[in-house]
Amino acid sequence: MFGRLVYLSNVATLTLDPEKCTGCGMCMVVCPHGVMERENGRVRVHDLDACMECGACARNCPEAALSVVSGVGCAMAVINTALGRDAASCCCVIDSGSDCCDTTESR
C-alpha cells in the first residue's frame, strides 16, 4: 500500500466556502485521499496538497460549498499518461513560452 500521496505544494484549486457547508460530510465520503476532515460540526480542508483535483467532493456537495477545477496541472498529466496520450507531460514546471498543457494534437 502507498503512503500519503502528495502532489505539488499549494497549487490545488480546491476551495471551500465555510458559510455554505452544513457539515454533512459527503465530501469526506467520496474523497479518495482524505483531504477534508470534520471540525466543530463543519468540514474543513485538512490536507490541500493531497488533493488530486478529481472533483468528486464538489460534484457530491449538496450545498455547493466546494469548488475545484477538475483535471488541471499534474492531475491532468497523470490522467493523460494513464490514457496513453503522448502529450501527457503537463505543466509541472512554469515555462512562460510553452503550451505544455495543449493535448489536442495527440488525442
Side-chain angles (χ1 to χ4, degrees):
M1 187 72 184
F2 296 108
R4 178 179 173 267
L5 297 175
V6 177
Y7 302 95
L8 297 175
S9 296
N10 300 314
V11 297
T13 59
L14 173 67
T15 58
L16 168 69
D17 182 343
E19 299 298 317
K20 290 182 179 179
C21 177
T22 61
C24 74
M26 184 56 69
C27 56
M28 295 170 49
V29 171
V30 299
C31 179
H33 292 165
V35 173
M36 275 72 75
E37 71 179 8
R38 195 175 316 233
E39 183 177 87
N40 298 323
R42 298 279 175 105
V43 171
R44 74 176 191 88
V45 177
H46 164 70
D47 192 358
L48 182 63
D49 291 342
C51 179
M52 65 183 212
E53 299 179 317
C54 68
C57 59
R59 290 184 57 91
N60 288 282
C61 179
E63 304 302 326
L66 290 154
S67 67
V68 64
V69 178
S70 299
V72 299
C74 287
M76 185 57 122
V78 171
I79 291 167
N80 282 333
T81 299
L83 294 174
R85 294 180 179 152
D86 293 334
S89 58
C90 199
C91 304
C92 290
V93 178
I94 297 172
D95 183 341
S96 61
S98 173
D99 286 332
C100 61
C101 288
D102 183 7
T103 59
T104 56
E105 64 193 331
S106 59
R107 287 185 193 191

